Amino acid sequence: MKILRIGASAKVHPAVREFASLAAEPRATVEELEAAYHEPQVVARPASESTIKSSAKRVFDYCIVDEASQITLPVCLGPIRMARVFVLVGDHYQLPPLVQNREAQEGGLDVSCSNCCLIAARTRWQRFGISIA
């Protein structure tokens, strides 16, 4: 299985490096660059790196968002729009996203992606008279 890791090379554990192609590795041709981004079955990257134009053409089967309770919805939209199915992983009792701008907080941007989805699910099911915790 081919794995591409996008992001800071220094943050990739040495034991994992042998299994992954790093996006930061230089490529000799445009074709090699395109192949490096389009051939791997798994692409691992921080949510903030999701706007890379070359990979924006891809549609993935799944997007797994780890620490979804610490990521805001706008940050999460990039990766999840590129997948048919997305899975949010995280404990909503953990620390919320760090949003320091007062206007952003007042506008609701300090709510995590997982909590946004949970609120939407509760609202939807309540229409049918079903209560979820």
Side-chain angles (χ1 to χ4, degrees):
M1 174 181 297
K2 292 184 178 183
I3 300 171
L4 173 65
R5 171 60 165 96
I6 299 174
S9 301
K11 293 187 177 186
V12 179
H13 193 279
V16 176
R17 283 192 185 156
E18 68 180 276
F19 302 105
S21 170
L22 303 178
E25 293 173 351
R27 310 287 190 235
T29 66
V30 172
E31 290 78 20
E32 283 183 19
L33 182 63
E34 286 290 323
Y37 278 83
H38 293 285
E39 289 179 5
Q41 294 92 347
V42 175
V43 177
R45 64 179 173 208
S48 60
E49 300 280 341
S50 66
T51 57
I52 296 171
K53 290 181 182 179
S54 177
S55 61
K57 299 174 189 173
R58 288 190 68 174
V59 175
F60 295 93
D61 293 328
Y62 299 95
C63 173
I64 301 171
V65 180
D66 192 17
E67 301 294 350
S69 61
Q70 297 179 358
I71 301 173
T72 62
L73 184 60
V75 171
C76 225
L77 286 177
I80 64 177
R81 72 176 169 75
M82 296 169 57
R84 291 182 183 92
V85 175
F86 67 93
V87 178
L88 302 178
V89 180
D91 181 354
H92 63 280
Y93 291 110
Q94 296 260 338
L95 293 171
L98 178 61
V99 177
Q100 296 178 326
N101 182 287
R102 186 174 305 269
E103 271 186 77
Q105 290 172 348
E106 291 170 358
L109 292 179
D110 59 340
V111 178
S112 73
C113 183
S114 59
N115 279 349
C116 282
C117 290
L118 185 58
I119 292 166
R122 283 181 181 152
T123 302
R124 186 169 190 178
W125 285 104
Q126 284 173 350
R127 288 187 210 154
F128 298 106
I130 301 169
S131 177
I132 61 173

